[in-house]
Amino acid sequence: MADIAARRQEAESRLTELKHMHGIALLDDKPFDLEEILGVERELSGLTAAEGEQMRRQRMEAAAAGQARIDALKEKLERRNTERLEAVERAEKAAIDLREASKQWIAANGDCAGLVRALNQTGGAGILDPHETEVRLSHMLTCALKPLFGLRRKLGMIVFPDAWSRFAGSWKEAEQSITEHEILAALKGADRK
């Protein structure tokens, strides 16, 4: 269908011209066939109806596109909600696993500290004490979680210490390099007795 607005403009121009010619015919007392004016008026009426239908279809298409967008957003929200809850479960499991492993680590270090002290009468083993282990654990957690909270040093209400690069690698290697000399010294000392 040709552009309705252009057709309307053309029909309105023809109607204006026909009405002008009808007026001239009346003034000059000449006959004039009104059928042509009625035909143009019917055409304009049809064009008005076509414009209304065109607008209705555009509204329907816009509504359908809007509904499709809403449906897609709902689908995405449902999918993201499932992923979100799965991530919550994984985070909870990881936190519980970390808690339990940390309890074992702190307790094992405490036991090792007691054994080192028993083998080494001059003291030492402070680096293995629970408080020192907790401090190292906090630095290791800071390094592991730093990508999550960035430069803020905060995760919600939890405030982390400065991240030390010596704790950024393997926790086992860091723990071993920091504490192993105490254990080896106690073992060496025990062999001398």
Side-chain angles (χ1 to χ4, degrees), residues 3 14-15 17 23 28 33-34 37 44 52 60 85-86 94 97 101 110 114 127 134 144 164 177 179 185 188:
D3 183 24
R14 274 188 295 139
L15 183 60
E17 181 62 29
D28 293 342
D33 185 8
L34 290 175
I37 289 178
L44 282 170
M60 294 293 287
L85 294 175
E86 289 170 355
D97 290 348
I127 197 74
E134 290 170 10
W164 294 355
S177 71
T179 60
K188 228 182 221 182

Side-chain angles (χ1 to χ4, degrees), residues 42 56 71 73 90 117 172-173 181 183 188:
R42 282 192 296 271
R56 187 191 71 78
D71 291 345
L73 289 172
R90 287 192 313 273
R117 286 188 182 98
K172 179 182 176 183
E173 289 174 13
H181 68 280
I183 292 174
K188 228 182 221 182

Side-chain angles (χ1 to χ4, degrees), residues 110-125 186-187 189-190 193:
D111 290 345
C112 286
L115 292 168
V116 166
R117 286 188 182 98
L119 291 169
N120 183 359
Q121 300 301 318
T122 62
L187 290 172
K193 288 187 179 181

